[in-house]
Amino acid sequence: KAGVTQTPRYLIKTRGQQVTLSCSPISGHRSVSWYQQTPGQGLQFLFEYFSETQRNKGNFPGRFSGRQFSNSRSEMNVSTLELGDSALYLCASSLVPRQGALAKNIQYFGAGTRLSVL
Amino acid sequence: DQQVKQNSPSLSVQEGRISILNCDYTNSMFDYFLWYKKYPAEGPTFLISISSIKDKNEDGRFTVFLNKSAKHLSLHIVPSQPGDSAVYFCAALKPGNTPLVFGKGTRLSVIA
């Protein structure tokens, strides 16, 4: 069974540009979450999608957006790039969103897209 | 405000000895905890988890202990192997539809 696939693996952009990152979840997984990893902040939650609907959003500016398609694949977009957006962007998938208190919910991560903004 | 804290950025352990990675949390609403391991150029890989109704969960060389009164959990790796060298992230979940909250990670180096 293929894992979570993220493309591209590496990306170099300049300030002011926009970028789109792609994530294909594990087959059968319908929930996709995105995280930003930076050395100083660790993994910060961006958003979660399930059935093409955004279910959760982290504390990031509106320049960060995402969507999910009917086949559960997801994209995230960052507009008007800033130097501080340089980070590793990780996508994670799970079968469905967490199903309640004490419920197990394992997210499986892709290898990430390393974005460098110059 | 950091709700999940891993206060040791790094840890070095001799091969064959025990590795103990610590994690503290501030939000008593967390009811499920996970540990992930991350190698360079790879995404985090799920390692082991524990729900708040338990105080210990064991899987092979890995054991997670939860002390709810102290809001503290720890991951024990026995015996440590060079392949365990990685960054370990502690993560927590609250009930309902809320995202994983991660600590900043601890880099474990197992020295042969």
CSV table of all heavy atoms in Angstrom, one decimal, chain B residues 2-50:
chain,number,residue,atom,x,y,z
B,2,GLN,N,2.7,27.3,24.5
B,2,GLN,CA,3.0,26.0,24.2
B,2,GLN,C,2.3,25.0,25.1
B,2,GLN,O,2.6,24.9,26.3
B,2,GLN,CB,4.6,25.8,24.4
B,2,GLN,CG,5.1,24.5,23.8
B,2,GLN,CD,5.6,24.6,22.4
B,2,GLN,OE1,5.9,25.7,21.9
B,2,GLN,NE2,5.6,23.6,21.7
B,3,GLN,N,1.3,24.3,24.5
B,3,GLN,CA,0.5,23.4,25.3
B,3,GLN,C,1.2,22.0,25.5
B,3,GLN,O,0.9,21.3,26.5
B,3,GLN,CB,-0.8,23.1,24.7
B,3,GLN,CG,-1.7,24.4,24.6
B,3,GLN,CD,-3.0,24.0,24.0
B,3,GLN,OE1,-3.8,23.4,24.7
B,3,GLN,NE2,-3.3,24.5,22.8
B,4,VAL,N,2.1,21.7,24.6
B,4,VAL,CA,2.9,20.4,24.7
B,4,VAL,C,4.4,20.8,24.7
B,4,VAL,O,4.8,21.4,23.7
B,4,VAL,CB,2.5,19.4,23.6
B,4,VAL,CG1,3.4,18.2,23.7
B,4,VAL,CG2,1.1,19.1,23.6
B,5,LYS,N,5.1,20.4,25.7
B,5,LYS,CA,6.5,20.9,25.8
B,5,LYS,C,7.4,19.7,25.9
B,5,LYS,O,7.2,18.8,26.7
B,5,LYS,CB,6.7,21.7,27.1
B,5,LYS,CG,5.8,23.0,27.1
B,5,LYS,CD,6.0,23.7,28.4
B,5,LYS,CE,5.0,24.9,28.5
B,5,LYS,NZ,5.1,25.7,29.7
B,6,GLN,N,8.5,19.8,25.1
B,6,GLN,CA,9.6,18.8,25.3
B,6,GLN,C,10.8,19.6,25.6
B,6,GLN,O,11.3,20.3,24.7
B,6,GLN,CB,9.8,18.0,23.9
B,6,GLN,CG,8.6,17.1,23.6
B,6,GLN,CD,8.7,16.4,22.3
B,6,GLN,OE1,8.1,16.8,21.3
B,6,GLN,NE2,9.6,15.4,22.3
B,7,ASN,N,11.1,19.7,26.9
B,7,ASN,CA,12.1,20.6,27.4
B,7,ASN,C,13.6,20.3,27.0
B,7,ASN,O,14.4,21.1,27.2
B,7,ASN,CB,12.0,20.8,28.9
B,7,ASN,CG,10.6,21.5,29.2
B,7,ASN,OD1,10.2,22.4,28.5
B,7,ASN,ND2,9.9,21.0,30.2
B,8,SER,N,13.8,19.0,26.6
B,8,SER,CA,15.2,18.7,26.2
B,8,SER,C,15.3,18.6,24.7
B,8,SER,O,14.7,17.8,24.1
B,8,SER,CB,15.5,17.3,26.8
B,8,SER,OG,15.5,17.3,28.2
B,9,PRO,N,16.0,19.6,24.1
B,9,PRO,CA,16.2,19.6,22.7
B,9,PRO,C,17.0,18.4,22.1
B,9,PRO,O,16.7,17.9,21.0
B,9,PRO,CB,16.9,20.9,22.4
B,9,PRO,CG,16.8,21.7,23.6
B,9,PRO,CD,16.7,20.7,24.7
B,10,SER,N,17.8,17.9,23.0
B,10,SER,CA,18.7,16.8,22.5
B,10,SER,C,19.0,15.8,23.7
B,10,SER,O,19.0,16.2,24.9
B,10,SER,CB,19.9,17.3,21.8
B,10,SER,OG,20.7,18.0,22.8
B,11,LEU,N,19.4,14.6,23.3
B,11,LEU,CA,19.7,13.6,24.3
B,11,LEU,C,20.7,12.6,23.7
B,11,LEU,O,20.5,12.2,22.5
B,11,LEU,CB,18.4,12.8,24.7
B,11,LEU,CG,18.6,11.7,25.7
B,11,LEU,CD1,19.0,12.1,27.0
B,11,LEU,CD2,17.2,10.9,25.8
B,12,SER,N,21.7,12.3,24.4
B,12,SER,CA,22.7,11.3,23.9
B,12,SER,C,22.7,10.1,24.8
B,12,SER,O,22.8,10.2,26.0
B,12,SER,CB,24.1,11.9,23.8
B,12,SER,OG,24.2,12.7,22.7
B,13,VAL,N,22.7,8.9,24.2
B,13,VAL,CA,22.6,7.7,25.0
B,13,VAL,C,23.5,6.6,24.4
B,13,VAL,O,23.7,6.6,23.2
B,13,VAL,CB,21.2,7.1,25.1
B,13,VAL,CG1,21.1,5.8,25.7
B,13,VAL,CG2,20.3,8.1,25.8
B,14,GLN,N,24.2,5.8,25.2
B,14,GLN,CA,25.0,4.7,24.7
B,14,GLN,C,24.1,3.6,24.2
B,14,GLN,O,23.0,3.3,24.8
B,14,GLN,CB,25.9,4.2,25.9
B,14,GLN,CG,27.0,5.1,26.3
B,14,GLN,CD,28.2,4.9,25.4
B,14,GLN,OE1,28.5,3.8,25.0
B,14,GLN,NE2,28.9,6.0,25.1
B,15,GLU,N,24.6,3.0,23.2
B,15,GLU,CA,23.9,1.8,22.6
B,15,GLU,C,23.7,0.7,23.7
B,15,GLU,O,24.6,0.5,24.5
B,15,GLU,CB,24.7,1.2,21.5
B,15,GLU,CG,24.0,0.0,20.8
B,15,GLU,CD,24.9,-0.6,19.7
B,15,GLU,OE1,26.0,-0.1,19.5
B,15,GLU,OE2,24.4,-1.5,19.0
B,16,GLY,N,22.5,0.2,23.8
B,16,GLY,CA,22.2,-0.8,24.8
B,16,GLY,C,21.6,-0.3,26.1
B,16,GLY,O,21.0,-1.1,26.8
B,17,ARG,N,21.8,1.0,26.3
B,17,ARG,CA,21.2,1.6,27.5
B,17,ARG,C,19.8,2.0,27.3
B,17,ARG,O,19.3,2.0,26.2
B,17,ARG,CB,22.1,2.7,28.0
B,17,ARG,CG,23.6,2.4,28.1
B,17,ARG,CD,23.8,1.5,29.3
B,17,ARG,NE,23.6,2.1,30.6
B,17,ARG,CZ,24.5,2.7,31.3
B,17,ARG,NH1,25.8,2.8,30.8
B,17,ARG,NH2,24.3,3.2,32.5
B,18,ILE,N,19.2,2.6,28.3
B,18,ILE,CA,17.8,3.1,28.2
B,18,ILE,C,17.8,4.5,27.8
B,18,ILE,O,18.6,5.3,28.2
B,18,ILE,CB,17.0,2.9,29.5
B,18,ILE,CG1,15.6,3.3,29.4
B,18,ILE,CG2,17.7,3.7,30.7
B,18,ILE,CD1,14.7,3.0,30.6
B,19,SER,N,16.9,4.8,26.8
B,19,SER,CA,16.6,6.2,26.5
B,19,SER,C,15.3,6.6,27.1
B,19,SER,O,14.3,5.9,27.0
B,19,SER,CB,16.5,6.4,24.9
B,19,SER,OG,17.8,6.1,24.3
B,20,ILE,N,15.3,7.8,27.7
B,20,ILE,CA,14.0,8.3,28.3
B,20,ILE,C,13.8,9.7,27.8
B,20,ILE,O,14.6,10.6,28.0
B,20,ILE,CB,14.1,8.3,29.8
B,20,ILE,CG1,14.3,6.9,30.4
B,20,ILE,CG2,12.8,8.9,30.4
B,20,ILE,CD1,14.5,6.9,31.9
B,21,LEU,N,12.7,9.8,27.0
B,21,LEU,CA,12.3,11.1,26.4
B,21,LEU,C,11.1,11.6,27.2
B,21,LEU,O,10.1,10.9,27.4
B,21,LEU,CB,12.1,11.0,24.9
B,21,LEU,CG,13.3,10.6,24.1
B,21,LEU,CD1,13.3,9.1,23.8
B,21,LEU,CD2,13.3,11.4,22.8
B,22,ASN,N,11.1,12.9,27.5
B,22,ASN,CA,10.1,13.4,28.4
B,22,ASN,C,9.2,14.4,27.6
B,22,ASN,O,9.7,15.1,26.7
B,22,ASN,CB,10.7,14.1,29.6
B,22,ASN,CG,11.3,13.1,30.5
B,22,ASN,OD1,10.7,12.1,31.0
B,22,ASN,ND2,12.6,13.3,30.9
B,23,CYS,N,8.0,14.6,28.1
B,23,CYS,CA,7.0,15.5,27.5
B,23,CYS,C,6.1,16.0,28.6
B,23,CYS,O,5.6,15.1,29.4
B,23,CYS,CB,6.3,14.7,26.4
B,23,CYS,SG,5.0,15.7,25.6
B,24,ASP,N,5.8,17.2,28.7
B,24,ASP,CA,4.9,17.8,29.6
B,24,ASP,C,3.8,18.5,28.9
B,24,ASP,O,4.0,19.1,27.8
B,24,ASP,CB,5.6,18.8,30.5
B,24,ASP,CG,6.6,18.2,31.4
B,24,ASP,OD1,6.3,17.3,32.2
B,24,ASP,OD2,7.8,18.5,31.2
B,25,TYR,N,2.6,18.5,29.4
B,25,TYR,CA,1.5,19.2,28.8
B,25,TYR,C,0.8,20.1,29.8
B,25,TYR,O,0.8,19.8,31.0
B,25,TYR,CB,0.5,18.3,28.1
B,25,TYR,CG,-0.1,17.2,29.0
B,25,TYR,CD1,-1.4,17.4,29.5
B,25,TYR,CD2,0.5,16.0,29.3
B,25,TYR,CE1,-2.0,16.5,30.3
B,25,TYR,CE2,-0.1,15.1,30.1
B,25,TYR,CZ,-1.4,15.3,30.6
B,25,TYR,OH,-2.0,14.4,31.4
B,26,THR,N,0.1,21.1,29.3
B,26,THR,CA,-0.5,22.0,30.2
B,26,THR,C,-2.1,21.9,30.2
B,26,THR,O,-2.7,22.3,31.2
B,26,THR,CB,-0.2,23.5,29.9
B,26,THR,OG1,-0.5,23.7,28.5
B,26,THR,CG2,1.4,23.7,30.0
B,27,ASN,N,-2.6,21.4,29.1
B,27,ASN,CA,-4.1,21.4,29.0
B,27,ASN,C,-4.6,20.0,29.5
B,27,ASN,O,-4.4,19.0,28.9
B,27,ASN,CB,-4.4,21.6,27.5
B,27,ASN,CG,-5.9,21.9,27.3
B,27,ASN,OD1,-6.7,21.4,28.0
B,27,ASN,ND2,-6.2,22.7,26.3
B,28,SER,N,-5.4,20.1,30.5
B,28,SER,CA,-5.9,18.9,31.1
B,28,SER,C,-7.0,18.2,30.3
B,28,SER,O,-7.5,17.1,30.5
B,28,SER,CB,-6.5,19.1,32.5
B,28,SER,OG,-7.5,20.1,32.5
B,29,MET,N,-7.4,18.9,29.2
B,29,MET,CA,-8.4,18.3,28.3
B,29,MET,C,-7.8,17.3,27.4
B,29,MET,O,-8.6,16.5,26.8
B,29,MET,CB,-9.0,19.5,27.4
B,29,MET,CG,-9.9,20.5,28.2
B,29,MET,SD,-11.4,19.7,28.9
B,29,MET,CE,-12.3,19.3,27.3
B,30,PHE,N,-6.5,17.2,27.2
B,30,PHE,CA,-5.9,16.2,26.3
B,30,PHE,C,-6.3,14.8,26.9
B,30,PHE,O,-6.2,14.5,28.0
B,30,PHE,CB,-4.4,16.4,26.3
B,30,PHE,CG,-3.9,17.6,25.5
B,30,PHE,CD1,-2.9,18.4,26.1
B,30,PHE,CD2,-4.4,17.9,24.3
B,30,PHE,CE1,-2.4,19.5,25.4
B,30,PHE,CE2,-4.0,19.0,23.6
B,30,PHE,CZ,-3.0,19.8,24.1
B,31,ASP,N,-6.7,14.0,25.9
B,31,ASP,CA,-7.1,12.6,26.4
B,31,ASP,C,-6.4,11.5,25.6
B,31,ASP,O,-6.7,10.4,25.8
B,31,ASP,CB,-8.7,12.5,26.3
B,31,ASP,CG,-9.1,12.5,24.9
B,31,ASP,OD1,-8.4,12.9,24.0
B,31,ASP,OD2,-10.3,12.0,24.6
B,32,TYR,N,-5.6,11.9,24.7
B,32,TYR,CA,-4.9,10.9,23.9
B,32,TYR,C,-3.5,11.5,23.5
B,32,TYR,O,-3.4,12.6,23.1
B,32,TYR,CB,-5.7,10.5,22.6
B,32,TYR,CG,-5.3,9.2,22.0
B,32,TYR,CD1,-5.8,8.0,22.6
B,32,TYR,CD2,-4.5,9.1,20.9
B,32,TYR,CE1,-5.4,6.8,22.0
B,32,TYR,CE2,-4.1,7.9,20.4
B,32,TYR,CZ,-4.6,6.8,20.9
B,32,TYR,OH,-4.2,5.5,20.4
B,33,PHE,N,-2.5,10.6,23.6
B,33,PHE,CA,-1.1,11.1,23.4
B,33,PHE,C,-0.4,10.1,22.5
B,33,PHE,O,-0.6,8.9,22.5
B,33,PHE,CB,-0.4,11.2,24.7
B,33,PHE,CG,-1.0,12.0,25.7
B,33,PHE,CD1,-2.0,11.5,26.6
B,33,PHE,CD2,-0.7,13.4,25.8
B,33,PHE,CE1,-2.6,12.3,27.5
B,33,PHE,CE2,-1.4,14.2,26.7
B,33,PHE,CZ,-2.3,13.7,27.6
B,34,LEU,N,0.5,10.7,21.6
B,34,LEU,CA,1.2,9.9,20.6
B,34,LEU,C,2.6,10.3,20.6
B,34,LEU,O,3.0,11.5,20.9
B,34,LEU,CB,0.6,10.1,19.2
B,34,LEU,CG,-0.9,9.9,19.0
B,34,LEU,CD1,-1.7,11.2,19.3
B,34,LEU,CD2,-1.2,9.4,17.6
B,35,TRP,N,3.5,9.4,20.2
B,35,TRP,CA,4.9,9.7,19.9
B,35,TRP,C,5.2,9.4,18.5
B,35,TRP,O,4.7,8.3,18.0
B,35,TRP,CB,5.8,8.8,20.8
B,35,TRP,CG,5.9,9.3,22.2
B,35,TRP,CD1,5.1,8.9,23.3
B,35,TRP,CD2,6.8,10.3,22.7
B,35,TRP,NE1,5.5,9.5,24.4
B,35,TRP,CE2,6.5,10.4,24.1
B,35,TRP,CE3,7.8,11.1,22.2
B,35,TRP,CZ2,7.2,11.3,25.0
B,35,TRP,CZ3,8.5,12.0,23.0
B,35,TRP,CH2,8.2,12.1,24.4
B,36,TYR,N,5.8,10.3,17.8
B,36,TYR,CA,6.3,10.1,16.4
B,36,TYR,C,7.8,10.2,16.4
B,36,TYR,O,8.4,10.9,17.2
B,36,TYR,CB,5.7,11.2,15.6
B,36,TYR,CG,4.2,11.0,15.1
B,36,TYR,CD1,3.2,11.4,16.0
B,36,TYR,CD2,3.9,10.4,13.9
B,36,TYR,CE1,1.9,11.2,15.6
B,36,TYR,CE2,2.6,10.3,13.5
B,36,TYR,CZ,1.6,10.7,14.4
B,36,TYR,OH,0.3,10.5,14.0
B,37,LYS,N,8.4,9.5,15.5
B,37,LYS,CA,9.8,9.5,15.2
B,37,LYS,C,10.0,10.1,13.8
B,37,LYS,O,9.3,9.8,12.9
B,37,LYS,CB,10.4,8.1,15.3
B,37,LYS,CG,11.8,8.0,15.0
B,37,LYS,CD,12.3,6.6,15.4
B,37,LYS,CE,11.9,5.5,14.4
B,37,LYS,NZ,12.5,4.2,14.6
B,38,LYS,N,11.1,10.9,13.7
B,38,LYS,CA,11.3,11.6,12.4
B,38,LYS,C,12.8,11.5,12.1
B,38,LYS,O,13.7,12.0,12.8
B,38,LYS,CB,10.9,13.0,12.4
B,38,LYS,CG,11.0,13.7,11.0
B,38,LYS,CD,10.5,15.1,11.0
B,38,LYS,CE,10.5,15.7,9.6
B,38,LYS,NZ,11.8,15.7,9.0
B,39,TYR,N,13.1,10.8,10.9
B,39,TYR,CA,14.4,10.8,10.4
B,39,TYR,C,14.6,12.0,9.4
B,39,TYR,O,13.6,12.5,8.9
B,39,TYR,CB,14.7,9.5,9.6
B,39,TYR,CG,14.7,8.3,10.4
B,39,TYR,CD1,13.8,7.3,10.2
B,39,TYR,CD2,15.7,8.1,11.4
B,39,TYR,CE1,13.9,6.1,11.0
B,39,TYR,CE2,15.8,7.0,12.2
B,39,TYR,CZ,14.8,6.0,12.0
B,39,TYR,OH,14.9,4.8,12.7
B,40,PRO,N,15.8,12.5,9.2
B,40,PRO,CA,16.0,13.6,8.2
B,40,PRO,C,15.4,13.2,6.8
B,40,PRO,O,15.5,12.0,6.4
B,40,PRO,CB,17.5,13.7,8.1
B,40,PRO,CG,18.0,13.1,9.4
B,40,PRO,CD,17.1,12.0,9.8
B,41,ALA,N,14.8,14.2,6.2
B,41,ALA,CA,14.3,14.0,4.8
B,41,ALA,C,13.1,13.0,4.7
B,41,ALA,O,12.8,12.6,3.7
B,41,ALA,CB,15.4,13.6,3.8
B,42,GLU,N,12.6,12.7,5.9
B,42,GLU,CA,11.4,11.8,5.9
B,42,GLU,C,10.3,12.5,6.8
B,42,GLU,O,10.6,13.4,7.6
B,42,GLU,CB,11.7,10.5,6.5
B,42,GLU,CG,12.6,9.6,5.6
B,42,GLU,CD,12.8,8.2,6.2
B,42,GLU,OE1,12.0,7.8,7.1
B,42,GLU,OE2,13.8,7.6,5.8
B,43,GLY,N,9.0,12.1,6.6
B,43,GLY,CA,8.0,12.6,7.4
B,43,GLY,C,8.0,11.9,8.8
B,43,GLY,O,8.6,10.8,8.9
B,44,PRO,N,7.3,12.4,9.8
B,44,PRO,CA,7.2,11.7,11.1
B,44,PRO,C,6.5,10.4,10.9
B,44,PRO,O,5.6,10.2,10.1
B,44,PRO,CB,6.3,12.7,11.9
B,44,PRO,CG,6.5,14.0,11.2
B,44,PRO,CD,6.6,13.7,9.8
B,45,THR,N,7.0,9.4,11.6
B,45,THR,CA,6.4,8.1,11.6
B,45,THR,C,5.8,7.8,13.0
B,45,THR,O,6.5,7.9,14.0
B,45,THR,CB,7.5,7.0,11.3
B,45,THR,OG1,8.1,7.3,10.1
B,45,THR,CG2,6.9,5.6,11.2
B,46,PHE,N,4.6,7.3,13.0
B,46,PHE,CA,3.9,6.9,14.3
B,46,PHE,C,4.7,5.8,15.0
B,46,PHE,O,5.1,4.8,14.4
B,46,PHE,CB,2.5,6.5,14.0
B,46,PHE,CG,1.8,5.9,15.2
B,46,PHE,CD1,1.4,6.7,16.3
B,46,PHE,CD2,1.6,4.5,15.3
B,46,PHE,CE1,0.9,6.1,17.4
B,46,PHE,CE2,1.0,4.0,16.4
B,46,PHE,CZ,0.6,4.8,17.5
B,47,LEU,N,4.8,6.0,16.3
B,47,LEU,CA,5.6,5.0,17.1
B,47,LEU,C,4.7,4.3,18.1
B,47,LEU,O,4.6,3.1,18.1
B,47,LEU,CB,6.7,5.8,17.8
B,47,LEU,CG,7.9,5.0,18.4
B,47,LEU,CD1,8.6,4.2,17.3
B,47,LEU,CD2,8.9,6.0,19.0
B,48,ILE,N,4.1,5.0,18.9
B,48,ILE,CA,3.3,4.4,20.0
B,48,ILE,C,2.3,5.5,20.6
B,48,ILE,O,2.6,6.7,20.4
B,48,ILE,CB,4.2,3.9,21.1
B,48,ILE,CG1,3.4,3.0,22.1
B,48,ILE,CG2,4.9,5.0,21.9
B,48,ILE,CD1,4.3,2.2,23.1
B,49,SER,N,1.2,5.0,21.2
B,49,SER,CA,0.3,6.0,21.7
B,49,SER,C,-0.3,5.5,23.0
B,49,SER,O,-0.1,4.3,23.4
B,49,SER,CB,-0.9,6.2,20.7
B,49,SER,OG,-1.6,5.0,20.4
B,50,ILE,N,-1.0,6.4,23.7
B,50,ILE,CA,-1.7,6.0,25.0
B,50,ILE,C,-2.9,6.9,25.2
B,50,ILE,O,-2.8,8.1,24.9
B,50,ILE,CB,-0.7,6.1,26.1
B,50,ILE,CG1,-1.2,5.5,27.4
B,50,ILE,CG2,-0.2,7.5,26.4
B,50,ILE,CD1,-0.2,5.3,28.5
